[in-house]
Amino acid sequence: MDLQVTTSGGAASALEESVVRAFGARLRGELLQAGDEGYEEARKVWNGMIDRRPALIACASSVADVINSVNFARENDLLVAVRGGGHNVAGTGTVDGGLLIDLSRMKGIKIDPERRTAHVEPGVTIGELDKKTQAFSLAVPLGVVSETGIAGLTLGGGLGWLRRKHGLSSDNLLSVDLVTPDGKFVSASEEVNQDLLWGIKGGGGNFGIVTCFEYGLHAVGPEVMFAFVFYPGEQAREILRSVNEYMAQAPDEVSPLAFLGRVPHDETFPEERQGEPFIAVAAMFAGEVEEGEKVLRPLRELAVPIVDFSATMPYVEAQKVLDEDYPAGGRYYWKSQNVNDLGDETIAYLIEHAEAAPSDHSTIDIWYQGGAMARVGASESAFGDRSAPILLGIEANWDEPRDDEANVEWARGVVASMRRFSSGGAYLNFPGFMEEGQRLMRDSYGENYGRLVELKDEYDPDNLFRLNQNIRPTADGSVEHPVTGGGAA
Ligand SMILES: Cc1cc2nc3c(=O)[nH]c(=O)nc-3n(C[C@H](O)[C@H](O)[C@H](O)COP(=O)(O)OP(=O)(O)OC[C@H]3O[C@@H](n4cnc5c(N)ncnc54)[C@H](O)[C@@H]3O)c2cc1C
């Protein structure tokens, strides 16, 4: 029987059974379709808002599988999604009716402790890479939740506990291997295809499928000091002012996050505080433990804490501190906005918005930027301008489909209201559903947008890779390709 599929332009079409069978026979990994064992599991992504049914899932196990899959998609004009760790908040790692190229089984990691490099395949998660690098007390700067895939994280930038000391994940990329839309296998580094490496550092999956990321490694751990303190929400204003003062002279070893939210209904917190507003401050010290204890101490003495979870711990554990707050299958809608400062007016708005969140699980996150990540010039990589001292992450996190609209609207409202404090720029790994299309891309990439379009024209003029933070090629006309999914988008 023919297989019903969706074309790159979104039309319905059909593939003959023999064509599908021949494709499956060329793959070393499995080719799954509805009804096959493993299909339901393979089609799931982390965000429970996203529920899509690919016509085919190619579970790639090698570069050859990736090349075969790309060629098959192009030759049959299929709508393609690419999946690394499956954590993309907008759900770009899956597709209705198209071909999903699933890289999550490509988990090779090779560490060279002498040269301080790691070669990493695209199905690897943060926790898996940390475990391998920490065997040598080395680390790649990655994100703050260990289940996230390194692939999407790095292609979008990559903000974590080491960002002010060692930069974004993408700043630490030395080279990549990649399969281009015409099925060619190329490398990009400072020596070859420099323009492509420039574009991959923040430009998303626009130019091809990365089959190997080579990172530079840094000495971190094995033990680190980690501060994580919950304070009463009533004191949020004073605490944020104090963190501003602290950050004015903080060393690059400290890359804090502050969160505004409501205290979880969890026995680790005093019962009388549960459900009440909190402000939490968290930071790792990327250096010696004893020094970290001293340098982080002021962040633990900003007021009388509700709970202080700070401790010396293995780096791999510090990287997991936030994991349990983000269960797979929960409902998530995350937006972001750079802001110019955290003055009293900005703080007042943030507190008000956080208190108005419809869900107890939602938070407004304050990422303190600067340091090494800000010393990379805006034109040095596709990621663009890093001059804003603060990135706001607006995280709507909730459980029930009936609450979709209220939560999505809350996050959109916060972003709209905070724009007055911004010179522009959002972080494309926290993009909502990218419903603003090219406007969001232009705003986020700034002056790099034009160069990215040129690169897209060169490598992917037909926009084979469009379900991503999409840079529209010139030939693709004015059609927006929505990547939205889930009820409320
Ligand atoms: C719980 C959670 C915590 C997070 N924490 C952080 C954080 O601390 N810091 C931060 O910066 N971000 C963070 N993020 C955002 C995260 O960086 C993005 O969601 C990222 O897209 C996840 O990558 P992935 O590989 O898991 O996603 P996927 O959904 O698998 O992939 C995302 C997209 O990347 C592209 N892609 C993936 N692999 C490849 C490849 N090999 N070649 C070409 N294109 C590819 C595709 O377009 C794909 O749609 C977090 C997300 C979640 C869900």
Side-chain angles (χ1 to χ4, degrees):
M1 216 171 74
D2 286 356
L3 179 68
Q4 300 307 305
V5 294
T6 304
T7 68
S8 61
S13 181
L15 282 179
E16 282 177 25
E17 198 178 336
S18 59
V19 172
V20 175
R21 211 175 311 118
F23 173 45
R26 285 199 297 278
L27 294 180
R28 227 177 73 193
E30 283 175 292
L31 180 65
L32 301 173
Q33 51 180 293
D36 288 345
E37 198 184 332
Y39 172 86
E40 287 303 322
E41 202 44 46
R43 79 180 183 84
K44 272 190 206 151
V45 290
W46 166 85
N47 188 351
M49 286 280 274
I50 313 292
D51 181 18
R52 304 211 183 113
R53 306 187 69 81
L56 290 169
I57 304 177
C59 304
S61 65
S62 63
V63 173
D65 279 356
V66 176
I67 294 174
N68 271 318
S69 302
V70 168
N71 287 339
F72 183 75
R74 190 189 60 252
E75 286 158 8
N76 293 286
D77 187 27
L78 296 176
L79 188 58
V80 186
V82 178
R83 175 200 171 119
H87 264 54
N88 188 274
V89 193
T92 54
T94 184
V95 57
D96 263 333
L99 171 67
L100 169 58
I101 303 177
D102 179 359
L103 309 165
S104 62
R105 302 178 191 191
M106 293 178 67
K107 287 197 179 284
I109 300 175
K110 196 168 151 231
I111 311 290
D112 182 337
E114 294 297 314
R115 287 183 59 234
R116 292 200 168 180
T117 58
H119 286 82
V120 187
E121 286 193 320
V124 168
T125 62
I126 290 176
E128 290 162 347
L129 181 52
D130 284 340
K131 197 169 160 202
K132 292 281 168 128
T133 56
Q134 278 295 288
F136 305 98
S137 301
L138 296 171
V140 179
L142 298 166
V144 302
V145 176
S146 78
E147 293 132 331
T148 313
I150 57 104
L153 173 93
T154 304
L155 291 166
L159 290 169
W161 299 120
L162 303 179
R163 64 190 177 280
R164 285 169 38 86
K165 178 70 177 166
H166 298 303
L168 304 176
S169 309
S170 60
D171 296 335
N172 291 277
L173 260 189
L174 301 176
S175 73
V176 292
D177 293 335
L178 159 124
V179 176
T180 56
D182 51 5
K184 293 210 175 77
F185 182 64
V186 300
S187 294
S189 67
E190 288 307 329
E191 282 75 46
V192 289
N193 297 316
Q194 296 94 334
D195 57 340
L196 194 51
L197 184 67
W198 176 92
I200 278 169
K201 290 181 172 187
N206 270 290
F207 311 108
I209 298 186
V210 178
T211 55
C212 182
F213 296 85
E214 184 193 6
Y215 298 98
L217 297 168
H218 302 277
V220 182
E223 295 280 308
V224 289
M225 177 62 202
F226 193 88
F228 192 17
V229 195
F230 281 70
Y231 295 106
E234 306 91 87
Q235 278 154 292
R237 183 186 306 262
E238 293 72 33
I239 285 172
L240 286 172
R241 278 188 192 146
S242 303
V243 179
N244 280 346
E245 282 166 27
Y246 176 87
M247 289 312 295
Q249 38 171 337
D252 291 350
E253 280 78 6
V254 188
S255 304
L257 255 171
F259 313 87
L260 289 157
R262 287 205 281 277
V263 177
H265 294 274
D266 175 319
E267 62 190 17
T268 45
F269 295 91
E271 211 177 328
E272 68 280 9
R273 281 284 172 191
Q274 293 174 15
E276 294 296 312
F278 74 76
I279 170 141
V281 180
M284 178 189 289
F285 186 79
E288 295 301 321
V289 167
E290 294 72 29
E291 196 188 346
E293 277 169 5
K294 277 192 224 119
V295 175
L296 295 179
R297 173 66 54 188
L299 294 178
R300 301 173 61 191
E301 294 174 344
L302 298 168
V304 178
I306 300 173
V307 186
D308 182 354
F309 295 109
S310 308
T312 300
M313 58 184 87
Y315 175 80
V316 286
E317 293 308 316
Q319 286 281 93
K320 293 180 185 164
V321 160
L322 301 178
D323 280 15
E324 66 183 32
D325 296 330
Y326 299 101
R331 303 181 85 76
Y332 302 96
Y333 179 86
W334 295 359
K335 302 266 324 159
S336 58
Q337 180 78 60
N338 280 322
V339 294
N340 301 331
D341 66 58
L342 262 197
D344 281 355
E345 204 189 348
T346 324
I347 293 175
Y349 272 98
L350 289 178
I351 294 170
E352 191 185 320
H353 287 307
E355 287 181 1
S359 164
D360 275 356
H361 307 318
S362 296
T363 54
I364 296 182
D365 306 342
I366 300 163
W367 295 77
Y368 295 87
Q369 304 194 113
M373 67 167 281
R375 289 193 285 272
V376 178
S379 62
E380 282 180 54
S381 72
F383 186 85
D385 183 57
R386 295 119 181 271
S387 59
I390 303 286
L391 175 76
L392 298 177
I394 296 100
E395 286 191 12
N397 307 328
W398 70 103
D399 296 322
E400 297 296 334
R402 64 171 178 271
D403 299 328
D404 286 358
E405 200 177 328
N407 284 282
V408 170
E409 282 314 310
W410 170 75
R412 286 180 181 156
V414 179
V415 170
S417 138
M418 298 315 290
R419 254 183 222 124
R420 79 192 77 183
F421 303 110
S422 174
S423 310
Y427 178 41
L428 289 171
N429 274 341
F430 304 153
F433 288 136
M434 300 193 229
E435 50 274 57
E436 305 90 338
Q438 292 305 290
R439 185 156 57 80
L440 178 66
M441 300 307 142
R442 278 198 199 91
D443 183 41
S444 305
Y445 289 121
E447 293 186 0
N448 289 341
Y449 180 78
R451 186 169 166 194
L452 281 163
V453 174
E454 281 171 25
L455 211 55
K456 185 75 174 176
D457 285 349
E458 184 183 341
Y459 284 94
D460 190 16
D462 298 324
N463 211 3
L464 182 72
F465 298 115
R466 64 181 64 191
L467 297 181
N468 50 33
Q469 50 199 74
N470 196 229
I471 306 289
R472 252 195 358 242
T474 309
D476 203 23
S478 59
V479 186
E480 289 282 0
H481 299 293
V483 295
T484 54

